[in-house]
Amino acid sequence: MTAIGVPEDELERLWPHDVAHYLRSRGWQEAGQIRYSRRWEKDWAGRPRRLLLPVDTDLADFADRMADLVGALAELEARPPTAVLEDLRATGLDVQYIRTMPSTPSGTIPVQAGVLAVTSARDLLMAAACHTIEPRLVQPRRKPRAARDFVDSARFGPTVAGSYILSVQVPLPERDVQPSLFGDDPEPFARSVSRRMYQAVAAAHTAAEAAMDADDSAPFSEAVGDGVSADLCEALAGIGGHDGRGTSTVHAFSIDFAWSPRWSVPPMESLAPFSPRLVHVLREGAQDLRRQEPEPGVTVIGRSTKLKRAAEYGPGEVTVEAVVLDAVRQIHVTLAEDEYTRATDAHAQGRTLKIEGDLARRGTYYELTRITAFDVL
């Protein structure tokens, strides 16, 4: 334990570049080099102040020198050294603050709702990571290795004052001091996931409001390109206390994003909170997205009832009447030019089509996608 009451190993884990980000963001300015330290200066309450930031982490007294800096900042900012240390460490993190608003005293949450919120926060990270890799209505049961590694690297930070608030910390890699010969360094995967999560949460809120107003879940399907998926909607609903079984009491919640200064990020507005009513809509949207997930390897056998092509040549759309899922349905299929020509001839001759692909529900109709086989019987 150091003289300021902070464990030595915690100080040894600080990155000088992160501390420099912190100082710069609070108006301190670099003023030169003193052996293995950088001098930082600032006018404080009308008086010039000076700090020395050790830049060589291999120094035997690195932790002691960092303790001097943290202690000086704590005195100037009138805060405990532990609070300053927490902020210094946070400069290397993207942080999501998940604020739940249950009907319990501030700073508390029912045990079952708390467990659900924690697991749903993990699922939210996974949904955003998977969608960053490959956008899908429903994410695969076996998650990509990169997504699993990302979730393993994230951690829960200390709770903060207010309604029961979870802080989810996403560590970012240290940025190379030397700039790339080809311009800015590529954005790390962790930051890409944080940005995708912000975009997806915003899109899910917009979709939920639109779905509630229109009494139609179509807005969720339309928002898939913005990061919305069944998995993400279920995770958000879980944060709001909806366990999917109809036995829980839902509550409002909000998610705020704090961005590490290591990597640039465009200005982003605060997101609107989710009301209990929107929590229910999120769960319903997730269920509808799961129903729309294509069923692979379905064979459709039937006659065409409609053909449509935008031009004289090229691909075209065919509607086939067939028995699918124990009922007669109109199946929409988009065919390449050769297959469309054959389907046109079959339609004129009253012959039957046999098409294999992935069957997906699209609102009131079904669509066959990813065609793997086509034949005229």
Side-chain angles (χ1 to χ4, degrees):
M1 188 70 69
T2 59
I4 61 172
V6 174
E8 184 174 327
D9 61 335
E10 294 287 343
L11 294 166
E12 291 175 343
R13 284 200 287 268
L14 288 175
W15 285 91
H17 294 144
D18 289 344
V19 179
H21 282 310
Y22 177 91
L23 294 174
R24 192 175 295 111
S25 68
R26 283 159 176 76
W28 292 85
Q29 295 182 338
E30 286 191 71
Q33 182 93 13
I34 299 180
R35 301 195 65 186
Y36 301 105
S37 300
R38 297 291 295 177
R39 186 172 70 248
W40 291 76
E41 296 179 347
K42 179 182 181 180
D43 286 337
W44 196 288
R47 295 177 54 190
R49 298 288 185 172
R50 177 182 296 176
L51 296 173
L52 291 180
L53 169 61
V55 294
D56 187 349
T57 58
D58 292 329
L59 290 173
D61 63 346
F62 176 80
D64 293 332
R65 302 287 71 77
M66 197 63 82
D68 292 340
L69 182 145
V70 171
L73 283 174
E75 182 178 353
L76 289 171
E77 297 177 3
R79 296 197 298 156
T82 52
V84 174
L85 178 65
E86 188 63 33
D87 284 350
L88 292 176
R89 290 188 299 189
T91 60
L93 304 169
D94 282 344
V95 184
Q96 295 91 45
Y97 294 98
I98 301 176
R99 180 190 180 198
T100 63
M101 308 173 201
S103 57
T104 52
S106 179
T108 69
I109 190 172
V111 170
Q112 291 299 332
V115 171
L116 182 59
V118 168
T119 57
S120 296
R122 176 205 60 196
D123 294 344
L124 181 63
L125 290 172
M126 182 64 77
C130 288
H131 209 285
T132 301
I133 297 170
E134 181 186 6
R136 294 181 56 167
L137 290 171
V138 180
Q139 294 301 330
R141 185 177 298 275
R142 179 166 180 77
K143 305 300 189 287
R145 178 62 181 270
R148 288 184 279 128
D149 289 345
F150 165 78
V151 174
D152 288 342
S153 72
R155 56 190 185 237
F156 286 109
T159 58
V160 297
S163 300
Y164 196 80
I165 301 175
L166 299 171
S167 62
V168 181
Q169 301 177 347
V170 176
L172 298 183
E174 175 67 15
R175 192 165 191 172
D176 195 338
V177 178
Q178 298 297 327
S180 169
L181 295 176
F182 304 99
D184 291 339
D185 295 334
E187 184 176 74
F189 181 69
R191 167 53 63 83
S192 297
V193 174
S194 293
R195 286 163 56 94
R196 171 59 72 179
M197 187 189 304
Y198 173 90
Q199 181 184 27
V201 172
H205 190 282
T206 300
E209 286 192 321
M212 182 172 61
D213 292 340
D215 194 21
D216 187 349
S217 62
F220 288 101
S221 302
E222 297 166 357
V224 170
D226 292 323
V228 173
S229 66
D231 306 75
L232 181 122
C233 290
E234 288 169 349
L236 292 174
I239 292 172
H242 200 312
D243 60 7
R245 297 189 296 269
T247 58
S248 55
T249 301
V250 302
H251 51 256
F253 72 93
S254 63
I255 303 180
D256 294 318
F257 289 74
W259 306 94
S260 166
R262 284 186 182 177
W263 302 84
S264 61
V265 65
M268 294 187 178
E269 298 178 355
S270 297
L271 301 180
F274 290 83
S275 66
R277 191 174 178 186
L278 288 184
V279 171
H280 287 286
V281 177
L282 284 168
R283 179 63 67 172
E284 294 169 358
Q287 293 172 347
D288 191 72
L289 288 174
R290 288 197 177 278
R291 285 193 293 267
Q292 295 180 44
E293 174 70 354
E295 181 179 347
V298 175
T299 299
V300 172
I301 300 176
R303 293 184 178 181
S304 59
T305 59
K306 184 179 180 181
L307 299 99
K308 182 177 66 174
R309 183 160 61 179
E312 186 176 355
Y313 301 100
E317 299 179 9
V318 177
T319 302
V320 179
E321 185 176 82
V323 177
V324 175
L325 302 179
D326 300 324
V328 177
R329 305 181 189 277
Q330 302 292 316
I331 313 298
H332 295 237
V333 188
T334 298
L335 298 174
E337 182 176 350
D338 291 344
E339 283 78 11
Y340 184 81
T341 300
R342 293 175 60 193
T344 301
D345 294 340
H347 182 78
Q349 299 167 10
R351 298 175 65 183
T352 300
L353 302 177
K354 180 180 179 181
I355 313 173
E356 182 177 320
D358 296 347
L359 185 68
R361 182 178 176 181
R362 301 286 188 254
T364 59
Y365 68 92
Y366 284 81
E367 181 181 13
L368 201 66
T369 63
R370 299 182 185 179
I371 306 303
T372 56
F374 175 87
D375 199 5
V376 177
L377 303 181

